[in-house]
Amino acid sequence: MGARIVGGYATSHVPAIGVAMDTGKTEEDYWKPVFKGYEFSRKWIEDLKPDVAIVVYNDHATAFSLEIIPTFALGCAAQYIPADEGWGARPVPVVEGHPDLAWHMAQSIILDEFDLTIVNEMEVDHGLTVPLSLAFGQPEAWPCPVIPLAVNVVQYPPPTGNRCLNLGKAIRKAVESFDEDLRVVIFGTGGMSHQLQAERAGLINADFDNAFLDKLIADPKAAAAISHVEYLREAGSEGIELVMWLVMRGALGDDVTLRHRHYHVPASNTAVGHLVLEPVE
Ligand code: DHB
Ligand code: FE
């Protein structure tokens, strides 16, 4: 029957969430309501038992410096080492890849006219490891192989939301044309509203974020039409990370079932949003 996408998992990737988990602070008053919103999805993914996770995330000048900035970089490696982002590497397992599916995706998506960068060696930062921690907790080894797809949202110009939605559709086609019987979950990560620098540092916009969640679920084309300037104005300079949620959404097909929705402020400098979606077969 071949591979198929069985679920979508969207979440913010705030580094302090990783620190809270790594240092046993999740029960503290500040963090409790953040993590409460991930209890349902921890169980959901444990029951789902995906064979592979495609994690759409952004690198924060960790693996890619300003010397080389791929717009879309697909990890085809067998392993990805958690990066040292300045305070030592997070105490989380090495991320095992799935080279067979990743190379198949590279072929299918590039021949579908998306010019991906192929990456055979890459360290992964909080953009990838924090969502894995939220989804899977603190295991000895991650429960499934991971295919990282890094999107440039750090250096202008990032891809448009519409390009990201269409890339998601190409990912769906790629997965569905892989012969092996694999159940694949796709992660969209980053966001929601936040700005880490300059005059508007600390900006949060709950109205924008919730409207984005509504659109992403029920009207992805409308979500894909949000311009760069609108993200910048409404969701702050790092709010642009939300285009990565559109890649996930595109991979789920037109109609989805909402399994879980969570929104919480504060968490460090960022509004935390989280969705669990399933494709309607
Ligand atoms: C924060 C959020 C991010 O998305 C990030 O990459 C770094 C820091 C924060 O809220 O502190
Ligand atoms: Fe970020």
Side-chain angles (χ1 to χ4, degrees):
M1 124 179 227
R4 66 203 159 96
I5 297 199
V6 294
Y9 184 109
T11 182
S12 306
H13 64 211
V14 183
I17 288 179
V19 177
M21 292 184 73
D22 299 343
T23 58
K25 296 199 165 100
T26 59
E27 291 300 312
E28 290 185 359
D29 288 348
Y30 181 87
W31 288 111
K32 237 182 158 155
V34 175
F35 289 102
K36 182 104 189 104
Y38 288 84
E39 283 171 8
F40 171 88
S41 50
R42 187 76 61 81
K43 177 85 175 61
W44 173 82
I45 209 157
E46 202 179 302
D47 294 343
L48 189 70
K49 295 188 179 42
D51 298 305
V52 185
I54 298 169
V55 180
V56 183
Y57 80 108
N58 72 287
D59 177 77
H60 299 75
T62 305
F64 306 119
S65 69
L66 290 181
E67 288 165 14
I68 299 179
I69 306 166
T71 302
F72 298 116
L74 184 71
C76 294
Q79 268 197 344
Y80 308 90
I81 308 292
D84 178 352
E85 297 178 63
W87 293 271
R90 288 191 61 211
V92 294
V94 167
V95 177
E96 303 293 339
H98 197 299
D100 286 351
L101 178 58
W103 276 105
H104 170 80
M105 286 173 63
Q107 170 176 291
S108 174
I109 294 167
I110 291 169
L111 297 185
D112 219 358
E113 303 184 346
F114 284 87
D115 308 316
L116 301 179
T117 298
I118 292 165
V119 183
N120 290 314
E121 190 175 339
M122 173 167 75
E123 293 195 349
V124 287
D125 72 12
H126 69 270
L128 183 128
T129 63
V130 167
L132 290 185
S133 296
L134 283 166
F136 299 120
Q138 294 166 294
E140 287 289 307
W142 300 119
C144 66
V146 170
I147 297 176
L149 175 62
V151 179
N152 167 43
V153 290
V154 167
Q155 170 64 55
Y156 187 84
T160 63
N162 193 51
R163 186 71 172 156
C164 289
L165 186 72
N166 286 332
L167 175 60
K169 292 178 187 174
I171 290 173
R172 184 176 178 83
K173 245 170 92 178
V175 168
E176 288 181 348
S177 60
F178 190 64
D179 281 344
E180 215 179 305
D181 200 358
L182 295 177
R183 298 164 66 257
V184 179
V185 66
I186 181 159
F187 283 52
T189 69
M192 298 197 78
S193 57
H194 62 306
Q195 171 148 343
L196 302 176
Q197 65 253 306
E199 288 84 356
R200 297 200 307 162
L203 177 144
I204 300 286
N205 184 346
D207 289 343
F208 174 89
D209 288 340
N210 279 295
F212 179 86
L213 294 174
D214 292 342
K215 281 185 197 146
L216 191 78
I217 297 162
D219 190 0
K221 281 203 184 91
I226 298 170
S227 67
H228 285 154
V229 169
E230 193 175 347
Y231 281 112
L232 187 66
R233 187 179 60 229
E234 300 296 331
S237 51
E238 276 69 48
I240 190 66
E241 289 180 346
L242 285 170
V243 294
M244 296 183 289
W245 294 35
L246 283 155
V247 181
M248 173 209 74
R249 185 61 184 84
L252 296 175
D254 291 339
D255 295 325
V256 292
T257 306
L258 173 67
R259 288 279 175 239
H260 182 61
R261 175 172 173 162
H262 171 51
Y263 184 78
H264 181 78
V265 178
S268 189
N269 304 294
T270 300
V272 164
H274 175 36
L275 288 181
V276 175
L277 303 173
E278 286 176 9
V280 175
E281 296 297 322

